Amino acid sequence: MIPTQPWLEHLVVHVALARVGRDPEGVHQLRVASRRLGAWLHLGDWDVLQSDLRWLRRIAGAVRDLDVLLSERHGDPLDTWLARRRERAQAMLVETLDSPRTVGLQSAFETLPPLADASARANLERLGARVHRRGRRAEDSRGDSDEVEAWHDLRRALRQLRYAREWFELPTKPLRALQDELGELGDLALLWRQLREFPEPHAIRNVLDHSKERLAGALERARAAWKMHRDDVSAES
Amino acid sequence: MDLFLIRHAHAENAANGDNDAARPLSPKGRSRFEHVVEGLARLGIRFDLVLHSPWLRAVETAQLLMPIVRGESRVTASLAAAPGRALLAQLAGGGAPIDPRAPSIPAEKVAAVGHQPWLSELLAWLVLEDPDVADRLHMGKGAVAWLKGEPTPGGMRLHALFPAKSMASANDG
């Protein structure tokens, strides 16, 4: 039997930290706990509460994305613009954390019964198969306009498989390695999306050009990493 | 909008000292409510949004409704307390999205899964403008009250009230 602890406690602790908003780990760990609980729901065939976790992650994600971008210095006016966006995102997050939906989400998890091991393992196998489907799709999308998104989808599936395996205390080393490789692409894609929203693109032309080059390099490394590790994922799953 | 107030299905009794919020559905409650869901499906009802209380018996009841949900489910602490304005705001079109990037849901058919006496108080408030006359509108376990109108005090009319038993026997017939 697999109870929701300790990740429910992790969520509760980091909701409080995220509300204060001074330590970026608060928001980051809130999202980590939320994903791990999402994997737990998936293993248990729960459809309810998934959309609540996704909603919470999306709003916390806006703060987290900006924390990641602000951890690098880009120079002004970009850094000032990003900092202002972060303030707004944090205000929205606080409103969210105080809402009846977030309060209800935590209460609901406190009452959910532990997962039965056998049915959860069947769902674990399905998550492994999904990783391979997404991997094939990412490979097939080479050069397409949605290629970055396809690799991002693979990263999400890998992460969910990893977290699901961790509920069973199974090894996850190749999954983590691959997830880290794809993470670089994800961070750069995020920077690229934010930069494209900047109201005066001519003022950050150098940053834009440099980011585009880094993104192309990261895409190449993501393809190579998948090619190298995909069989390890099969062996593990 | 069409609002469906749904009382959770029959649940196990709590032993002394057990957390009331953690009571699961009983096998009888689960089975009977599956018939309720079949009955709603036969009426062509699909929910854009299901709001539910965080208590286990309501979470499990909402889970049973998911096959007839075309939108999403949302948990809210407001359904595990006496009804207030915050709950009405959440019922109105699914509530304004807090995140402006999130698509707003045209929630024409909304279900709310909750508990007594609060659900009858909500029903009385929405239909008769007075939550204090809730005893006139009792809802048994697994019952469904179908309302039409706007979720404001006195802003809705009762379209139908289905006790769980009647839905189950309608399926048998």
Side-chain angles (χ1 to χ4, degrees):
Chain A
M1 299 295 265
I2 309 170
T4 53
Q5 278 77 15
W7 286 103
L8 175 57
E9 286 158 19
H10 197 83
L11 178 75
V12 172
V13 166
H14 289 93
V15 159
L17 265 182
R19 181 183 281 107
V20 176
R22 277 197 289 272
D23 183 353
E25 274 303 290
V27 172
H28 178 48
Q29 293 301 325
L30 180 160
R31 297 183 80 222
V32 169
S34 151
R35 285 203 184 94
R36 287 176 185 271
L37 291 169
W40 186 94
L41 288 175
H42 190 90
L43 290 171
D45 281 325
W46 286 100
D47 299 313
V48 288
L49 302 176
Q50 287 282 20
S51 53
D52 303 293
L53 288 173
R54 277 197 297 272
W55 165 80
L56 184 58
R57 276 201 298 275
R58 191 174 62 237
I59 294 165
V63 178
R64 173 64 187 164
D65 289 352
L66 290 158
D67 281 341
V68 169
L69 297 180
L70 284 163
S71 67
E72 265 184 62
R73 298 291 303 166
H74 307 283
D76 272 332
L78 185 55
D79 282 344
T80 305
W81 181 72
L82 290 171
R84 264 196 232 113
R85 284 173 78 103
R86 194 205 176 278
E87 272 174 35
R88 285 199 296 272
Q90 174 67 24
M92 191 183 286
L93 177 62
V94 170
E95 191 183 335
T96 299
L97 296 178
D98 290 338
S99 71
R101 192 172 182 184
T102 305
V103 173
L105 183 62
Q106 292 180 66
S107 305
F109 268 104
E110 281 165 15
T111 70
L112 291 180
L115 291 185
D117 208 82
S119 58
R121 276 187 190 271
N123 286 334
L124 182 62
E125 283 180 24
R126 279 195 280 276
L127 287 175
R130 190 174 67 173
V131 165
H132 283 280
R133 278 199 306 277
R134 292 203 181 175
R136 281 193 296 276
R137 202 175 71 204
E139 284 176 319
D140 292 346
S141 70
R142 191 182 180 105
D144 293 352
S145 59
D146 62 351
E147 185 181 359
V148 171
E149 190 56 37
W151 288 105
H152 187 53
D153 284 348
L154 171 61
R155 181 190 176 201
R156 279 197 292 246
L158 278 166
R159 190 167 49 204
Q160 195 172 29
L161 175 60
R162 173 192 155 192
Y163 289 160
R165 288 180 64 83
E166 285 176 354
W167 280 108
F168 292 97
E169 298 178 357
L170 295 169
T172 56
K173 201 173 168 188
L175 290 173
R176 277 185 283 134
L178 192 49
Q179 197 186 326
D180 287 346
E181 298 273 11
L182 296 179
E184 185 203 5
L185 175 63
D187 289 348
L188 287 168
L190 159 72
L191 173 61
W192 180 247
R193 279 197 300 275
Q194 291 278 345
L195 290 177
R196 289 178 62 150
E197 287 182 34
F198 188 70
E200 299 163 61
H202 59 276
I204 57 164
R205 178 58 55 202
N206 288 346
V207 182
L208 276 167
D209 290 345
H210 183 52
S211 297
K212 203 170 177 178
E213 278 171 30
R214 287 171 73 195
L215 188 60
L219 196 51
E220 205 51 58
R221 285 189 292 280
R223 292 176 190 133
W226 172 245
K227 207 170 175 180
M228 184 185 293
H229 291 293
R230 64 187 169 197
D231 293 336
D232 300 336
V233 173
S234 297
E236 200 176 60
S237 311
Chain B
M1 69 181 285
D2 290 75
L3 174 63
F4 297 77
L5 301 183
I6 301 175
R7 187 177 174 195
H8 66 82
H10 184 272
E12 302 284 7
N13 290 325
N16 274 348
D18 280 0
N19 178 7
D20 178 56
R23 283 197 289 132
L25 295 186
S26 65
K28 179 180 90 175
R30 186 176 288 276
S31 163
R32 189 172 279 173
F33 196 75
E34 281 168 353
H35 289 302
V36 171
V37 175
E38 283 170 24
L40 292 170
R42 251 212 318 269
L43 290 170
I45 292 163
R46 298 287 182 276
F47 297 117
D48 300 308
L49 174 67
V50 172
L51 292 163
H52 63 88
S53 138
W55 293 2
L56 183 58
R57 52 195 183 276
V59 174
E60 290 184 333
T61 303
Q63 173 73 24
L64 291 172
L65 283 169
M66 290 309 280
I68 55 168
V69 176
R70 58 187 171 198
E72 65 170 20
S73 68
R74 289 184 195 172
V75 64
T76 173
S78 306
L79 277 164
R85 296 274 170 188
L87 176 58
L88 297 191
Q90 291 166 70
L91 293 172
I98 290 176
D99 180 357
R101 294 175 307 171
S104 62
I105 302 165
E108 289 299 316
K109 285 194 167 55
V110 175
V113 182
H115 310 270
Q116 286 293 74
W118 306 313
L119 218 49
S120 283
E121 287 173 10
L122 176 61
L123 177 56
W125 196 22
L126 290 171
V127 175
L128 303 171
E129 223 175 330
D130 183 2
D132 293 337
V133 296
D135 54 349
R136 293 189 211 164
L137 295 163
H138 179 71
M139 291 183 69
K141 294 181 181 79
V144 179
W146 183 353
L147 313 181
K148 286 179 177 284
E150 293 308 314
T152 55
M156 304 202 88
R157 65 184 170 80
L158 183 60
H159 181 68
L161 179 59
F162 305 119
K165 268 185 196 170
S166 75
M167 292 290 255
S169 55
N171 284 331
D172 293 341

